[in-house]
Amino acid sequence: GLLDCRRCRYLRTGRACCQTVEALLALLILVCSSVSYGSAGGYTGLPSLGGIYYYHYGGAYSGFSGADGEKAQQLDQRFYLLKLPIARAAMAVGGCLLVFSCLLVLVGVLRLAWHFPTWLLLECILDMVIAIGLVPALYYFFHFLLGVYNSSVCKEREQLYQSKGYQGFRCSLHGAEIAAGLSGCIAVVVYLLSAGLAVKGYRTVHKLKEKPVQL
């Protein structure tokens, strides 16, 4: 099949599988983080529609009018700005990890490790650095979000929507944020495994190069 060709055989190795999983996890982090980034406040006033307001979660509602509508819009915008820095940071991390994983797959397909075995040691170091770096990054991610949800802006916003009978605005982590965090946790394990496989690959290449006749 396609994976039987000389260069594509790398895609059948354990390292390639780990790097593919890393890319998928990075993509998931990027997508889940973009949910928070793409939410522009949630509640936008549309006076031209006869006092009907559009809410991006569920469609058009008319529960807010006048001062309440303006207050809801302001609270949404302030809440959005509070979450914006961590959303951008998470997207940047996800994007960088995605590019890095794809580059590793490309380097493996080009068989750079066979010509320069030292690359495998460098790859191991990079995987270890990323795995260790993700631990404080995840702590900061959840710590920042919990700080936002415990803020007075979020509490006031929650009370305002609940007073109008709207549900789903609780000051707690939502599914996309939890998924991004869990993806990061899984990524830590996968990067550690990938680092171990890189060391194993380095030893294998050295053994093969020491016995050229058997090749």
Side-chain angles (χ1 to χ4, degrees):
L2 179 63
L3 298 182
D4 290 328
C5 67
R6 182 182 178 187
R7 294 190 181 277
C8 293
R9 286 177 184 173
Y10 173 75
L11 299 177
R12 300 165 56 181
T13 65
R15 282 175 51 228
C17 292
C18 284
Q19 291 160 3
T20 302
V21 173
E22 291 165 6
L24 293 176
L25 290 172
L27 180 61
L28 186 58
I29 293 174
L30 180 61
V31 171
C32 292
S33 302
S34 67
V35 173
S36 294
Y37 180 81
S39 175
Y43 202 80
T44 306
L46 298 176
S48 61
L49 297 181
I52 297 178
Y53 295 91
Y54 179 81
Y55 185 70
H56 83 282
Y57 282 129
Y61 294 94
S62 58
F64 291 93
S65 62
D68 286 340
E70 294 179 359
K71 185 177 181 180
Q73 187 176 7
Q74 292 174 0
L75 289 173
D76 279 334
Q77 291 173 351
R78 291 170 61 188
F79 180 70
Y80 167 71
L81 292 175
L82 286 176
K83 293 178 63 177
L84 189 58
I86 195 63
R88 286 178 172 176
M91 289 179 64
V93 170
C96 291
L97 292 179
L98 178 60
V99 173
F100 176 72
S101 300
C102 292
L103 285 177
L104 288 184
V105 173
L106 178 61
V107 168
V109 171
L110 296 177
R111 304 184 73 221
L112 180 65
W114 174 255
H115 301 289
F116 304 99
T118 308
W119 165 257
L120 290 171
L121 296 180
L122 177 59
E123 182 179 320
C124 173
I125 295 174
L126 292 175
D127 287 337
M128 291 291 294
V129 169
I130 292 175
I132 295 173
L134 280 175
V135 175
L138 287 168
Y139 170 79
Y140 180 76
F141 176 75
F142 286 113
H143 179 75
F144 189 97
L145 284 176
L146 291 176
V148 172
Y149 287 123
N150 289 326
S151 65
S152 58
V153 173
C154 184
K155 299 296 184 183
E156 187 177 359
R157 177 175 177 267
E158 179 184 22
Q159 292 175 0
L160 179 60
Y161 278 107
Q162 285 183 349
S163 67
K164 300 298 181 179
Y166 295 133
Q167 303 298 323
F169 305 97
R170 296 183 178 87
C171 294
S172 59
L173 297 172
H174 61 67
E177 294 163 347
I178 296 174
L182 290 177
S183 299
C185 294
I186 298 173
V188 172
V189 178
V190 177
Y191 274 105
L192 290 175
L193 178 60
S194 182
L197 291 175
V199 174
K200 182 180 179 181
Y202 176 78
R203 293 174 179 174
T204 301
V205 171
H206 261 282
K207 289 181 179 180
L208 291 175
K209 283 184 173 291
E210 289 175 356
K211 299 178 182 180
V213 176
Q214 296 181 8
L215 294 179

